[in-house]
């Protein structure tokens, strides 16, 4: 069931977060010149973020998508809709936005489940 | 009585009845097994949820540490962001997915591994090299935590689905399959009873008819034999000679 070829960690976030993670070594450019990261700044249009997110979810070689919470808020409906197991979407804090559990899609799902259970 | 209507379409025979009873037993065993499976999965699910909660908090802290170390780098070496982004070619930090079997469910677990040499030309950044290296390490550590979290999350999503499906099946068996089979059994028993009653009634009717016929025959026979008994007084053959006079004793 788990795609055996899924091995990459994708990143969508602000410049500092992306650079830091790239330093760690998650950055990858494949032979079609597609990268697995996107730096989002104040000038990036929301459609571009949505498009990249949709692309990442469709790709078969990405296992995890790291996205800073600030950017996640911009495309919140898309993230809420994403309910497949692969790739996993993980919300990470960034320098200016400490981690807020109230906004995390996954935690919201958990709360919904246990609110009913 | 809700659900009294629907039953399976079978012929009401004794064989069908035994078959239905076996089906019922099978359905009941299946139901209790599935229920147990659902409970085990739900227990596992709650464990995972707790772990996710902890891990998310840990991640928050680890990412903070990593951000600080990056700020240090920026301070001492200047913004290396552009260089780093441009030199990203082949990912060194990759994940491997392996599946674990948990009560019949394949749950994935991510395993981080380093693929390829640690070739980062940036380490030759003079004085900043050490800082950069340290920052790299903190971010690598952060990634470890993140990968762990991702494993938990995928397991969570998959388990969620499986639990829903199992519960649906449990409910289906409990509220649809078993009542249907029970209705069928009840109906077959009632049909068989009615057939027995019909048989019994038919038997009785036939017996009665036979009895009536027999009684008639008896009466008829008695009537015939009645004439015969009136004329059958024993005939005294010698008596007819008493009519003659005594020749000697006059």
């Amino acid at each position: 069931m788990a795609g055996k070829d899924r091995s990459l960690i994708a990143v969508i976030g602000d410049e500092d977060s992306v650079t830091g993670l790239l330093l760690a070594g998650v950055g990858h450019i494949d032979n079609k010149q597609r990268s697995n990261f996107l730096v989002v700044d104040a000038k990036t249009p929301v459609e571009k973020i949505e498009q990249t997110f949709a692309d990442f979810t469709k790709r078969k070689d990405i296992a995890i998508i790291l996205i800073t919470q600030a950017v996640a808020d911009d495309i919140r409906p898309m993230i809420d809709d994403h309910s497949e197991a692969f790739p996993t979407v993980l919300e990470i804090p960034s320098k200016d936005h400490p981690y807020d559990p109230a906004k995390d899609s996954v935690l919201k799902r958990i709360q919904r489940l246990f609110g009913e259970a | 009585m809700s659900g009294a209507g629907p039953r399976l379409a079978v012929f009401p025979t004794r064989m069908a009845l035994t078959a239905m009873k076996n089906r019922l037993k099978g359905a009941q065993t299946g139901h209790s097994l599935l229920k147990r499976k659902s409970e085990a999965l739900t227990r596992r699910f709650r464990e995972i949820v707790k772990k996710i909660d902890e891990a998310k908090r840990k991640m928050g802290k680890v990412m903070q540490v990593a951000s600080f170390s990056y700020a240090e780098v920026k301070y001492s070496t200047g913004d290396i962001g552009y260089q780093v982004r441009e030199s990203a070619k082949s990912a060194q930090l990759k994940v491997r997915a392996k599946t674990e079997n948990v009560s019949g469910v394949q749950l994935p677990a991510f395993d981080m591994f380093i693929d390829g040499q640690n070739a980062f030309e940036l380490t030759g950044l003079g004085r900043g090299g050490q800082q950069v290296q340290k920052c790299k390490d903190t971010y690598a550590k952060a990634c470890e935590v993140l990968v762990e979290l991702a494993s938990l999350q995928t397991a969570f999503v998959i388990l969620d689905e499986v639990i829903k499906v199992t519960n649906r099946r449990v409910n289906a068996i409990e509220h649809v399959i078993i009542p249907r089979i029970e209705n069928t059994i009840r109906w077959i028993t009632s049909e068989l009873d009615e057939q027995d009653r019909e048989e019994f009634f038919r038997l009785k009717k036939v017996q009665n008819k036979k009895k009536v016929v027999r009684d008639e025959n008896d009466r008829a026979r008695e009537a015939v034999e009645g004439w015969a008994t009136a004329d059958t007084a024993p005939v005294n053959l010698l008596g007819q000679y008493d009519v003659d006079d005594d020749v000697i004793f006059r």
Side-chain angles (χ1 to χ4, degrees):
Chain A
M1 192 209 306
K4 303 228 176 44
D5 316 313
R6 290 188 186 267
S7 54
L8 296 178
I9 304 177
V11 192
I12 304 180
D14 62 296
E15 185 177 332
D16 288 345
S17 309
V18 173
T19 317
L21 286 164
L22 286 180
L23 244 192
V26 309
H28 183 91
I29 311 246
D30 66 7
N31 39 23
K32 298 203 202 79
Q33 296 296 73
R34 290 183 305 183
S35 65
N36 69 340
F37 54 93
L38 174 70
V39 176
V40 171
D41 57 22
K43 292 183 252 111
T44 324
V46 174
E47 294 83 42
K48 179 129 196 319
I49 310 179
E50 289 180 351
Q51 185 63 43
T52 321
F53 183 76
D55 285 342
F56 285 171
T57 39
K58 284 203 209 82
R59 276 172 65 168
K60 298 263 189 262
D61 52 359
I62 294 186
I64 308 176
I65 301 183
L66 299 175
I67 182 164
T68 49
Q69 265 200 321
V71 177
D73 283 338
D74 289 338
I75 55 171
R76 183 58 62 196
M78 275 192 84
I79 302 194
D80 279 344
D81 267 342
H82 174 77
S83 52
E84 296 99 47
F86 295 103
T88 322
V89 173
L90 213 44
E91 294 181 33
I92 55 181
S94 59
K95 209 170 59 193
D96 321 308
H97 293 92
Y99 181 65
D100 181 4
K103 296 214 216 112
D104 192 323
S105 292
V106 175
L107 288 187
K108 271 201 289 194
R109 233 171 118 173
I110 297 182
Q111 272 171 10
R112 223 183 309 145
L113 283 175
F114 285 116
E116 308 164 343
Chain B
M1 184 162 58
S2 67
R7 55 172 168 76
L8 302 155
V10 278
F11 286 118
T13 64
R14 263 169 247 284
M15 198 168 72
L17 184 64
T18 358
M20 283 297 125
K21 289 203 174 137
N22 283 340
R23 285 251 300 253
L24 183 66
K25 196 140 43 95
Q28 282 164 339
T29 332
H31 174 259
S32 65
L33 277 176
L34 265 183
K35 201 144 186 201
R36 236 178 299 159
K37 172 171 173 180
S38 162
E39 282 165 17
L41 287 177
T42 316
R43 233 176 302 143
R44 187 62 179 238
F45 190 65
R46 283 180 204 268
E47 277 174 29
I48 291 191
V49 167
K50 237 186 293 170
K51 275 202 230 146
I52 286 189
D53 205 47
E54 276 175 38
K56 288 233 175 213
R57 287 178 215 288
K58 192 160 134 207
M59 168 195 74
K61 276 191 238 134
V62 165
M63 290 300 287
Q64 282 275 57
V65 169
S67 298
F68 283 153
S69 80
Y70 183 63
E72 274 180 19
V73 166
K74 278 225 293 226
Y75 181 65
S76 59
T77 329
D79 190 14
I80 54 170
Y82 190 66
Q83 280 174 301
V84 170
R85 275 199 297 281
E86 288 312 302
S87 62
K89 277 186 300 278
S90 175
Q92 281 142 7
L93 223 62
K94 288 208 189 147
V95 289
R96 238 188 321 239
K98 57 177 156 59
T99 48
E100 289 177 344
N101 191 317
V102 173
S103 359
V105 183
Q106 299 283 70
L107 287 183
F110 287 128
D111 198 20
M112 195 171 84
F113 70 100
I114 310 282
D115 179 27
Q117 332 79 307
N118 228 345
F120 239 118
E121 303 86 73
L122 298 169
T123 44
L125 273 178
R127 188 176 24 109
Q130 215 183 39
Q131 294 281 42
V132 173
Q133 190 62 31
K134 200 172 86 151
C135 179
K136 190 165 190 288
D137 290 338
T138 27
Y139 264 103
K141 181 95 195 332
C143 273
E144 246 183 73
V145 175
L146 288 172
V147 164
E148 219 183 275
L149 232 194
S151 301
L152 287 175
Q153 232 175 266
T154 14
F156 166 82
V157 168
I158 294 186
L159 255 189
D160 190 25
E161 264 310 304
V162 175
I163 290 182
K164 269 197 218 134
V165 165
T166 319
N167 281 341
R168 236 178 274 153
R169 283 206 201 122
V170 168
N171 287 339
I173 297 186
E174 195 177 313
H175 296 285
V176 176
I177 310 258
I178 291 191
R180 227 192 298 170
I181 299 186
E182 283 179 345
N183 285 339
T184 320
I185 291 183
R186 223 174 306 144
W187 178 75
I188 296 183
T189 346
S190 76
E191 286 288 309
L192 287 176
D193 281 347
E194 190 168 326
Q195 281 176 6
D196 282 346
R197 262 178 278 142
E198 281 175 12
E199 266 310 303
F200 189 66
F201 183 72
R202 211 177 301 138
L203 225 72
K204 276 272 159 216
K205 209 63 164 113
V206 167
Q207 276 179 356
N208 281 346
K209 269 235 152 220
K210 281 206 181 139
K211 189 165 187 316
V212 165
V213 169
R214 214 180 330 128
D215 283 350
E216 269 188 26
N217 286 345
D218 278 351
R219 243 178 295 130
R221 211 179 343 121
E222 259 169 53
V224 166
E225 286 173 355
W227 292 343
T229 35
D231 275 337
T232 31
V235 174
N236 191 355
L237 282 171
L238 300 173
Q240 54 189 290
Y241 294 114
D242 281 347
V243 187
D244 292 344
D245 294 324
D246 287 334
V247 172
I248 307 174
F249 306 107
R250 212 163 343 149

